[in-house]
Amino acid sequence: MRFGKTLRKAIYAPWKDSYINYDKLKELLREDGPDEERWTEDDEGRFVDELVNEQLEKVHAFHSETYQKLRDRTSKCEAKLDPVVASTAGSDGARRASVSIGHGKRPLPSDEENEKILREVMEELDGITREINELEKYSRINYTGFLKAAKKHDRKRGHAYRVRPLLQVRLAALPFNKEDYSPLLYRLSVMYSFARQNLEGKDVRGMSFSESQTSGDIYTSYKFWVHPENLLEVKTVILRRLPVLVYNPQTSKVAEGAQRDPTITSIYFDNPKFTLYTDKVEHAGDPSSLRLRWFGQLSQKPEIVLEKKTVKQDDTSEEERFPIKDKYIQPFIKGEYKMEKQIAKLQERSGGDSVEHKRLKTSVKDIQEFILRNNLQPVLRANYSRTAFQIPGDDRVRISLDTDIAFIREDALDNEKPCRDPEEWHRKDIDEAEMEYPFSAIRKDEVNRFPFALMEVKLRNQKKSEWVEELMASHLVKEAPRFSKFVHGVAQLFEDHVNTFPFWLSEMETDIRREPLQAFEEEQARKQQQKEDEFAVGSLVKTRSSPVTKPSVLSPVGSPNVTSSIKPSSPGKATPEIARRASLAHAARANMPGINDIAEEEEGDSRDDGAQGQPQQSREGSSTNGLRSLFPSFSTSKYARSRRERNVALPPGVQKPSYWIKDQGEIKVEAKVWLANQRTFIKWQHVSVLLASLSLGLYNAAGGDNNVARALAVAYTLVAAFAAIWGWSIYIWRSRLIERRSGRDFDNAIGPCVVCIGLVIALLVNFGFKASDPLRDRMGTLS
């Protein structure tokens, strides 16, 4: 799409006169004219003056003025909340009768007035956050416009005059595109939290803004990538429901959010074989990872936490962690120190039978045994800035946004040029120099920068809230299930040391942005399809819900055309289209044994349940349950037996399905499947080359009279040729099975058996001839 059309589409109507006048710049540049058209110094002067003076100053002035207005509106909201804050302060029975406002005193507002003020402030905060989003988009599209105009000039008229360097100087002097909105967002977040909790009747006094460091946490985690252009909008969506979690506030200035987002450093452990990495990529059992983590610079003596995280198959996570001092880390890794001092202090403070003491003792023992058993050492550093959102004192919902993510090698695998001193647990060249993102001083092959932000939603023992589901399904984020910083960093920086790679690597170079309408329609279509499929197949449960999905309450586009195009029908009734699909599915089910048998048995169970008034299970169903678990496609029910005994006549217009639904759609195969097939092919060729080299050497070493050696060389050559042909044919065969999504086994033992038997026969023949040579010589001597 041409930029002029993109600019017109992105204009926010109330500010339409304040955007860059891109058409005027194109007119001054005479873009439509021929390149050889005369371009004078006066023409150059008019274009440069319009670009770097008129347009740039106009945009900068409007941006500065609008941002200051937003700050003023935020301050007015804070002032408006002062009486409400005063009315909620003090003890339950002793509330002050008035509050000081300016130089006078005003009576405290009543509960009804408080609620009115809070609702007015919430409405104003919504307007402020909406305009912050628009202002960020405004600065981004105008910045792009200036660069586009300069690029057009330098390409068409830049033979003698180049305006790009001058524009860069002016943009540095008028940096409208580098505004940091985080401090303002923090202030809005605090007011959102205060207003929302007071409206909901919650007591917010005494809540702490420090991060919980408990052990044994179990929660459900969802991970998403966020494009940098959508980052601010995602933040504003979250802070309307969750306040920003400020880490370890020390002053009132910090509590207001004037500080930068905290920088977090994690050092991950693994062994030279990268066992932990392989287990996580291949989902072997419940894979675990181990890391050291701290906030800020290590020179500031922060608290360091050693943490072991285990991700289970149902996407729940379990963590064990405890704080450890810098000087004890290396002895602990080597098994020379077992945290005796910390355990003894905790025992004296809380007693030997306390939960905290037992938990620390267990965590220390488990983690140290885990390190020694797997021969773990630091291999990877991940550095990122984190913005966390959580209601203080309530960790049921936690959302974190990680930006400026960088992965750095922390290993000592190369004995000649180790990245880290083997006698140290971290890279001192980074920590002593207090390096920060983007780590320009580090060699390019030792650092990798992640192009997106990472959002993680953690839920503890509860279902997703409606607004969380809306955010997770919106165009602002891209789902990244099972994404791991540790796995991604190892895959990018240790490519030569590992043989398996995560599936998401192929998506790193793609554009993850989507149009709001597209994301909304995809989510609605997915939900509707899921409902219809459950309805048509019987849903494999004993109740059928309505197949119509209500459109989301919070449409990401807010367009009446979108919401009106999806109308829910009456509950419990199927639309004609759904009824037609259900009848076709019911008819086709007769020719699909697995689905048909299960669905019919479930329907029969449902009818039995309805007749008896309570759930019951037949004897036949219980006796054959184990058989069906072993052979899912086989059923011993009366219905299934009758179906197998006779051919069923399909209704008119219904044809027997020639393909499975699972075989339709885009083929998405994990990279490790293709790579495994390729590795097997390479191994076969390796065997072929070795055998061919052996036969060639044997043939050349044999003299003209040694016919036995020459015959064996030919035999080895034939085996080598067979190995090469077999490896290639098996590679092509398995590739076709993968593309067709075949359920057949990939194993084929014929080739290995032929090669092994051929080699054994050749070796036995060789041994037999060699062993018979001395006998023939001795017989010749005796004769």
Side-chain angles (χ1 to χ4, degrees):
M1 183 183 296
R2 298 179 65 86
F3 179 74
K5 187 181 295 185
T6 303
L7 176 61
R8 288 190 293 272
K9 188 177 179 180
I11 286 178
Y12 182 49
W15 302 344
K16 61 180 181 180
D17 296 331
S18 301
Y19 285 79
I20 180 176
N21 195 336
Y22 193 69
D23 293 334
K24 185 176 180 180
L25 291 172
K26 289 169 61 178
E27 181 181 350
L28 290 174
L29 190 58
R30 299 203 293 272
E31 184 187 26
D32 298 332
D35 292 343
E36 61 272 9
E37 183 180 0
R38 181 175 175 78
W39 181 257
T40 65
E41 292 187 2
D42 293 338
D43 295 331
E44 180 71 16
R46 282 192 294 270
F47 177 82
V48 172
D49 182 66
E50 183 68 26
L51 178 68
V52 302
N53 292 331
E54 297 293 334
Q55 296 298 325
L56 183 56
E57 290 181 0
K58 177 183 73 173
V59 171
H60 176 262
F62 177 81
H63 181 273
S64 300
E65 180 184 356
T66 305
Y67 185 66
Q68 185 59 43
K69 287 181 179 178
L70 292 174
R71 290 173 57 91
D72 295 340
R73 289 169 62 185
T74 303
S75 299
K76 290 181 180 179
C77 288
E78 292 172 337
K80 201 170 185 178
L81 286 176
D82 282 344
V84 182
V85 174
S87 66
T88 58
S91 61
D92 295 335
R95 290 177 52 181
R96 292 171 293 176
S98 62
V99 58
S100 298
I101 305 294
H103 295 287
K105 290 186 177 182
R106 293 183 184 177
L108 290 175
S110 62
D111 293 339
E112 292 77 10
E113 292 173 340
N114 278 345
E115 183 176 355
K116 181 180 179 181
I117 292 173
L118 291 172
R119 296 194 181 280
E120 290 176 353
V121 169
M122 285 286 287
E123 184 177 353
E124 178 66 8
L125 292 177
D126 288 341
I128 295 174
T129 54
R130 186 165 50 250
E131 290 201 5
I132 289 178
N133 277 324
E134 295 297 337
L135 186 61
E136 195 268 341
K137 296 176 183 178
Y138 168 88
S139 62
R140 185 171 62 246
I141 194 68
N142 280 283
Y143 179 73
T144 305
F146 284 113
L147 295 182
K148 288 281 187 180
K151 182 179 179 181
K152 285 182 178 293
H153 170 276
D154 293 348
R155 185 177 63 245
K156 189 175 182 66
R157 311 295 184 188
H159 303 293
Y161 309 96
R162 298 188 63 84
V163 75
R164 181 70 176 266
L166 176 61
L167 177 64
Q168 295 289 2
V169 173
R170 291 290 290 162
L171 284 173
L174 304 173
F176 69 90
N177 63 308
K178 296 183 179 179
E179 188 67 58
D180 183 11
Y181 301 97
S182 297
L184 187 57
L185 290 179
Y186 288 149
R187 295 170 62 187
L188 295 174
S189 172
V190 173
M191 286 188 286
Y192 262 123
S193 178
F194 177 81
R196 182 174 55 253
Q197 291 173 344
N198 275 276
L199 287 173
E200 294 174 357
K202 294 181 180 180
D203 188 4
V204 299
R205 292 170 293 174
M207 289 186 175
S208 171
F209 279 78
S210 60
E211 186 187 27
S212 174
Q213 291 290 343
T214 58
S215 300
D217 296 339
I218 300 177
Y219 52 83
T220 304
S221 175
Y222 305 88
K223 295 182 180 180
F224 303 86
W225 294 345
V226 182
H227 194 276
E229 292 186 1
N230 297 330
L231 187 58
L232 182 63
E233 190 169 355
V234 170
K235 286 184 178 182
T236 56
V237 170
I238 299 173
L239 65 81
R240 292 185 181 185
R241 278 87 179 180
L242 297 176
V244 176
L245 184 69
V246 182
Y247 292 86
N248 299 325
Q250 301 296 331
T251 63
S252 60
K253 182 178 180 181
V254 173
E256 291 174 0
Q259 90 289 359
R260 297 168 52 189
D261 289 335
T263 299
I264 301 178
T265 301
S266 297
I267 293 182
Y268 293 94
F269 288 68
D270 210 333
N271 52 38
K273 295 182 180 180
F274 289 93
T275 305
L276 302 188
Y277 166 85
T278 304
D279 290 344
K280 288 184 74 70
V281 174
E282 297 181 351
H283 310 315
D286 296 335
S288 300
S289 61
L290 184 70
R291 67 177 179 180
L292 290 163
R293 188 180 70 160
W294 66 87
F295 293 86
Q297 295 291 344
L298 194 61
S299 59
Q300 300 173 356
K301 303 297 181 181
E303 181 183 52
I304 303 175
V305 177
L306 183 59
E307 178 181 73
K308 177 188 175 186
K309 182 177 180 180
T310 303
V311 180
K312 300 183 179 179
Q313 294 297 326
D314 56 356
D315 285 336
T316 59
S317 301
E318 186 173 354
E319 296 180 356
E320 291 181 299
R321 57 189 175 191
F322 58 86
I324 184 172
K325 292 184 178 180
D326 182 356
K327 59 183 179 180
Y328 295 136
I329 294 177
Q330 189 68 11
F332 183 83
I333 295 174
K334 294 181 177 180
E336 301 170 356
Y337 180 69
K338 302 182 182 297
M339 302 289 292
E340 295 90 348
K341 293 183 179 179
Q342 285 77 1
I343 295 175
K345 288 181 180 179
L346 185 60
Q347 183 177 3
E348 293 177 0
R349 186 168 63 249
S350 59
D353 296 332
S354 65
V355 177
E356 293 81 2
H357 176 262
K358 293 180 179 179
R359 182 182 298 165
L360 176 61
K361 193 173 181 179
T362 302
S363 299
V364 169
K365 181 180 178 181
D366 291 347
I367 292 178
Q368 190 165 57
E369 289 179 353
F370 182 67
I371 294 174
L372 298 177
R373 182 172 62 252
N374 294 280
N375 189 27
L376 301 182
Q377 57 179 280
V379 296
L380 177 73
R381 175 186 296 239
N383 184 275
Y384 48 93
S385 298
R386 168 163 293 183
T387 305
F389 302 86
Q390 177 186 326
I391 297 177
D394 183 1
D395 59 355
R396 290 176 298 173
V397 181
R398 292 185 289 170
I399 299 180
S400 61
L401 272 172
D402 296 340
T403 56
D404 296 340
I405 305 175
F407 301 102
I408 305 170
R409 291 187 58 163
E410 197 88 8
D411 63 286
L413 301 179
D414 189 348
N415 296 327
E416 296 181 358
K417 297 176 61 177
C419 298
R420 166 183 56 83
D421 185 353
E423 298 301 321
E424 297 289 342
W425 61 270
H426 66 105
R427 288 183 60 165
K428 287 193 171 183
D429 59 328
I430 297 177
D431 295 321
E432 291 180 355
E434 297 187 356
M435 294 185 188
E436 295 182 345
Y437 188 87
F439 299 96
S440 303
I442 298 179
R443 292 170 49 187
K444 291 184 178 181
D445 59 340
E446 295 181 3
V447 61
N448 176 267
R449 300 168 186 87
F450 192 64
F452 311 121
L454 179 64
M455 183 181 79
E456 184 173 9
V457 180
K458 295 182 179 180
L459 305 175
R460 183 192 298 275
N461 301 328
Q462 73 166 21
K463 296 181 179 179
K464 296 189 289 289
S465 303
E466 185 176 357
W467 72 269
V468 175
E469 290 186 344
E470 291 290 339
L471 176 61
M472 293 167 60
S474 71
H475 70 288
L476 300 174
V477 299
K478 175 179 174 57
E479 187 177 9
R482 287 187 173 270
F483 178 82
S484 166
K485 297 189 186 76
F486 166 59
V487 170
H488 185 80
V490 172
Q492 293 284 7
L493 296 174
F494 298 91
E495 183 178 1
D496 297 335
H497 293 76
V498 296
N499 295 322
T500 56
F501 298 94
F503 64 89
W504 63 76
L505 283 186
S506 59
E507 302 181 9
M508 294 305 301
E509 302 300 329
T510 60
D511 189 354
I512 65 172
R513 292 171 294 182
R514 294 182 295 170
E515 291 292 333
L517 180 60
Q518 175 190 357
F520 179 70
E521 290 178 344
E522 289 177 357
E523 179 64 15
Q524 291 301 316
R526 184 187 65 82
K527 292 181 179 179
Q528 185 72 7
Q529 184 66 42
Q530 182 180 0
K531 285 287 185 180
E532 291 178 5
D533 290 343
E534 290 178 356
F535 183 83
V537 182
S539 73
L540 300 183
V541 294
K542 300 182 181 180
T543 59
R544 284 187 180 182
S545 59
S546 171
V548 179
T549 303
K550 294 182 179 181
S552 302
V553 177
L554 300 177
S555 169
V557 291
S559 171
N561 297 330
V562 177
T563 55
S564 63
S565 64
I566 306 175
K567 297 181 180 179
S569 60
S570 302
K573 296 182 179 180
T575 61
E577 173 66 17
I578 298 171
R580 183 183 67 82
R581 292 185 55 183
S583 63
L584 292 177
H586 181 76
R589 237 177 352 193
N591 297 281
M592 300 169 67
I595 297 179
N596 183 59
D597 299 342
I598 297 174
E600 289 295 334
E601 289 181 7
E602 290 291 344
E603 291 176 3
D605 291 343
S606 299
R607 288 193 293 270
D608 294 341
D609 294 344
Q612 300 296 331
Q614 61 182 358
Q616 294 183 1
Q617 187 176 9
S618 64
R619 294 181 180 180
E620 183 180 24
S622 62
S623 63
T624 60
N625 186 46
L627 183 60
R628 288 201 307 272
S629 64
L630 292 175
F631 305 99
S633 61
F634 181 80
S635 176
T636 58
S637 66
K638 294 179 179 179
Y639 181 86
R641 290 198 299 269
S642 65
R643 289 288 180 176
R644 286 195 291 269
E645 292 170 358
R646 62 186 178 89
N647 295 325
V648 179
L650 297 177
V654 178
Q655 297 180 355
K656 182 178 179 180
S658 58
Y659 55 83
W660 293 92
I661 296 176
K662 70 180 181 64
D663 294 334
Q664 302 306 299
E666 183 182 358
I667 298 178
K668 291 186 177 180
V669 183
E670 291 190 10
K672 64 181 182 181
V673 178
W674 297 108
L675 295 175
N677 192 23
Q678 292 173 3
R679 282 198 305 273
T680 306
F681 168 68
I682 293 173
K683 291 293 184 182
W684 275 105
Q685 303 310 304
H686 181 63
V687 171
S688 175
V689 171
L690 288 178
L691 291 175
S693 301
L694 174 63
S695 62
L696 182 61
L698 184 60
Y699 189 87
N700 292 333
D705 299 332
N706 195 345
N707 295 325
V708 175
R710 295 165 69 92
L712 289 174
V714 173
Y716 285 126
T717 302
L718 294 176
V719 176
F722 174 80
I725 296 173
W726 176 265
W728 171 254
S729 60
I730 286 294
Y731 171 72
I732 298 299
W733 174 67
R734 286 173 176 164
S735 297
R736 290 174 179 171
L737 290 182
I738 295 172
E739 292 173 356
R740 296 173 184 173
R741 304 175 182 176
S742 175
R744 298 176 57 185
D745 290 336
F746 282 39
D747 297 338
N748 196 323
I750 296 177
C753 290
V754 170
V755 173
C756 292
I757 293 173
L759 290 177
V760 169
I761 293 175
L763 291 174
L764 290 177
V765 170
N766 192 358
F767 177 78
F769 279 112
K770 286 296 182 182
S772 62
D773 285 344
L775 294 177
R776 286 197 300 268
D777 294 342
R778 184 177 302 174
M779 294 296 295
T781 303
L782 294 176
S783 62

